[in-house]
């Protein structure tokens, strides 16, 4: 039962791992506030930029190794359907957006500085949510594709 649960969760949890890597390098890494923080820590002798990049790059490696290490037929049997993966990702994005706005209402600050550009615009946040849901779903579906094409056994 435990193995079945971990196999079933592979495209959902794995998508989050790939998503973290993709979004970090697309949204956070190039951001001027992030670069400022990296320079601050570099002045203190800490290679924060490198450390931060590595901790955000490694999840994609773990996901690929996870898929490759699992038995192919059991993995394909246990994984949710394409529709199921998309629905789970949509629910995740809705929950994340709600919690993000609750956090902002409490603290008056966004978790990531790139969110400042979205402000209080419902239209911008809806577009952002759609893009995030699409990327997250694409990550999950890429895991399904990887599982179908390549596994070690």
């Amino acid at each position: 039962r435990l193995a079945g649960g971990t196999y079933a969760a592979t495209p959902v949890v794995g998508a989050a791992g790939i998503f973290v890597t993709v979004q970090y390098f697309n949204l956070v890494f190039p951001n001027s506030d992030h670069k400022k923080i990296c320079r601050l820590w570099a002045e203190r002798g800490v290679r924060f930029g490198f450390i931060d990049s590595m901790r955000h790059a490694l999840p994609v490696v773990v996901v690929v190794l996870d898929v490759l290490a699992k038995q192919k037929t059991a993995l394909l049997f246990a994984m949710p359907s394409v529709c199921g993966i998309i629905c789970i990702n949509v629910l995740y994005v809705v929950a994340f957006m709600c919690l993000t706005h609750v956090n902002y209402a409490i603290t008056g600050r966004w978790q990531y500085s790139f969110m400042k550009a979205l402000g209080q615009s419902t239209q911008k946040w809806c577009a952002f949510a759609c893009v995030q849901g699409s990327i997250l779903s694409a990550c999950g579906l890429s895991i399904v594709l990887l599982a179908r094409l390549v596994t070690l056994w």
Side-chain angles (χ1 to χ4, degrees), residues 8-9 11-13 80-94 136-137:
V12 177
V13 175
S81 67
V82 168
C83 184
I85 292 169
I86 293 169
C87 288
I88 290 167
N89 291 329
V90 167
L91 288 173
Y92 172 80
V93 169
V94 169
L136 191 55
S137 293

Side-chain angles (χ1 to χ4, degrees), residues 5-152:
T6 63
Y7 277 49
T10 298
V12 177
V13 175
I18 295 171
F19 184 78
V20 162
T21 301
V22 169
Q23 294 304 81
Y24 170 78
F25 286 104
N26 280 324
L27 298 174
V28 178
F29 185 77
N31 186 276
S32 61
D33 289 341
H34 179 70
K35 289 179 180 184
K36 206 179 304 180
I37 291 168
C38 291
R39 280 192 301 275
L40 172 72
W41 282 105
E43 291 168 3
R44 297 175 180 177
V46 177
R47 296 183 61 199
F48 178 76
F50 174 77
I51 294 167
D52 206 34
S53 293
M54 286 300 98
R55 75 184 177 104
H56 283 91
L58 289 176
V60 77
V61 175
V62 171
V63 170
V64 170
L65 293 175
D66 181 52
V67 171
L68 293 177
K70 289 180 175 168
Q71 203 274 332
K72 183 176 186 169
T73 55
L75 179 59
L76 293 174
F77 178 78
M79 288 191 299
S81 67
V82 168
C83 184
I85 292 169
I86 293 169
C87 288
I88 290 167
N89 291 329
V90 167
L91 288 173
Y92 172 80
V93 169
V94 169
F96 178 81
M97 294 297 167
C98 289
L99 290 172
T100 293
H101 282 83
V102 167
N103 180 66
Y104 180 78
I106 293 168
T107 66
R109 298 187 66 190
W110 299 110
Q111 300 96 298
Y112 302 102
S113 57
F114 70 83
M115 291 179 170
K116 293 175 193 173
L118 302 174
Q120 297 294 326
S121 169
T122 303
Q123 185 178 3
K124 288 180 182 179
W125 277 101
C126 285
F128 181 69
C130 288
V131 170
Q132 298 311 295
S134 298
I135 293 169
L136 191 55
S137 293
C139 293
L141 298 176
S142 70
I143 292 169
V144 172
L145 183 63
L146 177 65
R148 289 184 187 278
L149 297 177
V150 182
T151 54
L152 297 179

